[in-house]
Amino acid sequence: MLACLVRKRMKFSGNLVQTWKLGGVGASARGRRRMSSGAEAVVAKERADCVVIGAGVLGLAVARELSRRGREVLVLDAAASFGAATSSRNSEVVHAGIYYPPNSLKAKFCVRGRELLYRYCSEHGIPHRKMGKLIVATGASEIPKLDLLMHLGTQNGVAGLRMLEGFEAMRMEPRLRCVKALLSPESGILDTHSLMLSLVGEAETGKTTFSYNTTVLGGRVEGNQIHLHVAETRSLESWNGGESLSQMQQLELIPNLVVNSAGLAAQALTKRFHGINHRVIPPSHYARGCYFMLSGSRGPPFDHLVYPIPEEGGLGVHFTVDLTGQVKFGPDVEWIDGVDDISSFLNRFDYVVNPKRAEKFYPEIRKYYPELKDESLEPGYSGIRPKLSGPKQPPADFVIQGGESHGVHGLVNLFGIESPGFTSSLAIAEHIATRFLK
Ligand SMILES: Cc1cc2nc3c(=O)[nH]c(=O)nc-3n(C[C@H](O)[C@H](O)[C@H](O)COP(=O)(O)OP(=O)(O)OC[C@H]3O[C@@H](n4cnc5c(N)ncnc54)[C@H](O)[C@@H]3O)c2cc1C
């Protein structure tokens, strides 16, 4: 009933809360709820089957998987369209599964996700290229780290890994400079936007409805079931931090299953779920990564992706190319703090690439690409990693939390889905459907 009405309404409004305010949704109950501040908020209540919070690649993959299994899904996103946050701001690399500790979720989902992703791309005509990757040691001191990566990749079941002497790698890539390289034939690139568009289409072919411009403000647990408080994003845009969020006009959704895939906002949102065990919510850290584009070159300098040895917080300033042939270098690592809840809900991050950061890029890139010309880098774009570990801390694994950890049946939280999150998305969706659908 709800999905049907929302779908009908979406043709001219695209926003679930607006639909309710105009009387379009068959609200099962309407009323006023007294808030702790003493103020009253107008609240309508609706039941739903599955609600996915966030239409990034994770939310889209989960929605598709749930609807393939016959479930009715409502996807809510604060933005005006899908993929507005991190899913449009990454390297677009299909990772092989090398860097992660054996048996970690990152290793498991990356390897499985890569297989599913290549298969999906082939079957659905999504542009992609398994171009292979060289991870390079540019000095003797880096060779043990390369050996460790070879060991990890092999343990993780990545096929075809081969250690190359510097001269072998440089014969394959004449513009490269290195003393040793690890060749990963399974790595590649894809058109992330086409993939997301295809996932939206597949989800909609099933029983999925999308409501954009719709922000989940928080929720509460009643009888071991989560109730979500949902508002129009528009009503938050002018929010100045004064009036309590809970006083805004809201729709209260009561789903059987909620998947919180709000990316950078996942922890902030979970902290606004009253009645769940907040002690299990991991800390949030944010690390911006900037990209610079290569200008004035006749074509990509390399046929393979080229990555240096990983640095703290990231995989190092690497060479990649998109499917149109545009060369980019990045991302670097810049820790940011002071992110408030509304900024994370509304994706109000500073994504501007400061041209001065190029000064640090030139020497990093020239370690493996010495011919890089002066003035050839132009500011590109940036993305922000949703990290669970901060500076100087060891890297953290993905966290997928169900009722066994936070105590609420039917709530699944996805935390820290940084790289290789895109590669892992179809595998994580498969896992969620298998583990949490009753
Ligand atoms: C610089 C960088 C490079 C990367 N490179 C790669 C790579 O090459 N390969 C790879 O596999 N992975 C890569 N990743 C990781 C990958 O991009 C992410 O893991 C993936 O995009 C995360 O998707 P998501 O759906 O979890 O989050 P997002 O794409 O951030 O989506 C979250 C959605 O939730 C919505 N939202 C937030 N709060 C609310 C709310 N309160 N109510 C409603 N909606 C809300 C947002 O609007 C957003 O659309 C990279 C990441 C970064 C930052």
Side-chain angles (χ1 to χ4, degrees):
M1 172 70 166
L2 172 71
C4 160
L5 284 161
V6 172
R7 197 172 289 140
K8 201 165 132 204
R9 175 66 193 158
M10 289 233 341
K11 289 197 180 110
F12 49 96
S13 126
N15 176 315
L16 170 61
V17 185
Q18 210 173 53
T19 309
W20 155 66
K21 279 160 72 179
L22 295 173
V25 170
S28 53
R30 237 170 226 271
R32 290 176 182 274
R33 201 174 61 234
R34 187 161 293 282
M35 300 299 162
S36 48
S37 62
E40 285 184 332
V42 182
V43 177
K45 294 188 182 183
E46 268 298 338
R47 293 206 165 267
D49 184 14
C50 303
V51 170
V52 173
I53 307 170
V57 71
L58 263 299
L60 299 179
V62 168
R64 166 187 175 262
E65 190 62 40
L66 296 178
S67 53
R68 264 157 54 99
R69 298 186 190 210
R71 302 299 288 262
E72 201 161 306
V73 185
L74 181 59
V75 181
L76 308 176
D77 200 293
S81 183
F82 64 87
T86 311
S87 297
S88 303
R89 301 173 162 277
N90 54 58
S91 297
E92 301 193 290
V93 168
V94 181
H95 288 293
I98 296 170
Y99 300 96
Y100 323 106
N103 300 319
S104 62
L105 294 184
K106 282 184 176 173
K108 185 177 130 189
F109 290 137
C110 186
V111 170
R112 172 75 181 148
R114 164 173 49 81
E115 287 167 10
L116 294 174
L117 196 53
Y118 279 136
R119 197 185 311 155
Y120 186 95
C121 288
S122 299
E123 288 173 1
H124 293 78
I126 309 297
H128 67 288
R129 183 149 46 102
K130 205 191 266 192
M131 62 193 286
K133 158 165 147 178
L134 289 164
I135 308 175
V136 296
T138 54
S141 64
E142 291 181 340
I143 293 175
K145 292 177 185 157
L146 207 56
D147 290 337
L148 177 64
L149 291 178
M150 172 77 175
H151 176 71
L152 289 175
T154 308
Q155 294 268 300
N156 291 343
V158 180
L161 292 178
R162 198 150 59 92
M163 198 61 94
L164 304 177
E165 293 304 327
F167 74 88
E168 293 176 287
M170 292 188 288
R171 202 161 49 204
M172 287 168 78
E173 292 287 3
R175 289 175 168 159
L176 182 68
R177 209 207 66 162
C178 67
V179 295
K180 220 164 177 177
L182 177 58
L183 173 67
S184 163
E186 287 297 321
S187 307
I189 55 173
L190 88 159
D191 176 347
T192 51
H193 188 80
S194 296
L195 175 74
M196 289 193 281
L197 194 58
S198 172
L199 293 174
V200 169
E202 286 234 315
E204 280 182 331
T205 305
K207 294 184 193 163
T208 298
T209 300
F210 288 84
S211 179
Y212 297 114
N213 300 307
T214 306
T215 301
V216 182
L217 302 175
R220 68 177 201 288
V221 178
E222 221 178 89
N224 202 26
Q225 199 171 15
I226 187 93
H227 292 218
L228 297 177
H229 302 159
V230 179
E232 271 186 271
T233 298
R234 204 172 47 173
S235 64
L236 293 172
E237 274 161 2
S238 55
W239 189 71
N240 58 10
E243 183 197 1
S244 164
L245 285 181
S246 56
Q247 287 169 28
M248 292 178 180
Q249 282 202 315
Q250 292 168 27
L251 179 62
E252 186 168 311
L253 282 175
I254 311 167
N256 299 318
L257 178 71
V258 176
V259 179
N260 170 10
S261 47
L264 293 160
Q267 285 99 309
L269 182 58
T270 311
K271 285 181 190 156
R272 290 176 174 274
F273 292 155
H274 299 290
I276 83 160
N277 178 5
H278 283 194
R279 282 195 299 270
V280 298
I281 303 172
S284 316
H285 300 274
Y286 304 89
R288 182 170 28 233
C290 292
Y291 292 84
F292 279 81
M293 312 311 238
L294 184 66
S295 66
S297 95
R298 291 226 184 104
F302 306 116
D303 290 333
H304 296 79
L305 301 163
V306 177
Y307 277 57
I309 296 294
E311 60 177 326
E312 187 204 86
L315 296 183
V317 170
H318 49 260
F319 154 83
T320 184
V321 60
D322 68 19
L323 286 146
T324 67
Q326 172 66 61
V327 172
K328 51 196 173 182
F329 292 97
D332 59 356
V333 177
E334 183 190 0
W335 295 95
I336 54 177
D337 47 27
V339 177
D340 63 71
D341 292 7
I342 296 300
S343 299
S344 70
F345 291 0
L346 303 188
N347 197 23
R348 278 191 195 145
F349 293 96
D350 179 4
Y351 287 115
V352 175
V353 177
N354 184 341
K356 288 197 176 145
R357 296 191 80 76
E359 288 164 19
K360 289 200 177 142
F361 275 61
Y362 283 102
E364 287 301 312
I365 299 165
R366 282 177 178 146
K367 285 183 190 161
Y368 58 83
Y369 177 34
E371 289 173 27
L372 179 70
K373 292 196 173 64
D374 286 341
E375 315 283 321
S376 59
L377 296 179
E378 287 180 355
Y381 61 95
S382 72
I384 296 172
R385 303 170 180 90
K387 297 187 84 68
L388 303 184
S389 55
K392 311 255 181 278
Q393 293 174 347
D397 202 2
F398 295 152
V399 171
I400 301 180
Q401 276 184 353
E404 72 293 340
S405 34
H406 54 62
V408 183
H409 169 75
L411 170 65
V412 182
N413 288 318
L414 302 187
F415 295 132
I417 313 296
E418 55 171 332
S419 186
F422 215 105
T423 309
S424 306
S425 54
L426 296 179
I428 294 177
E430 181 182 69
H431 169 82
I432 288 175
T434 306
R435 183 169 151 202
F436 296 104
L437 279 188
K438 290 278 171 297

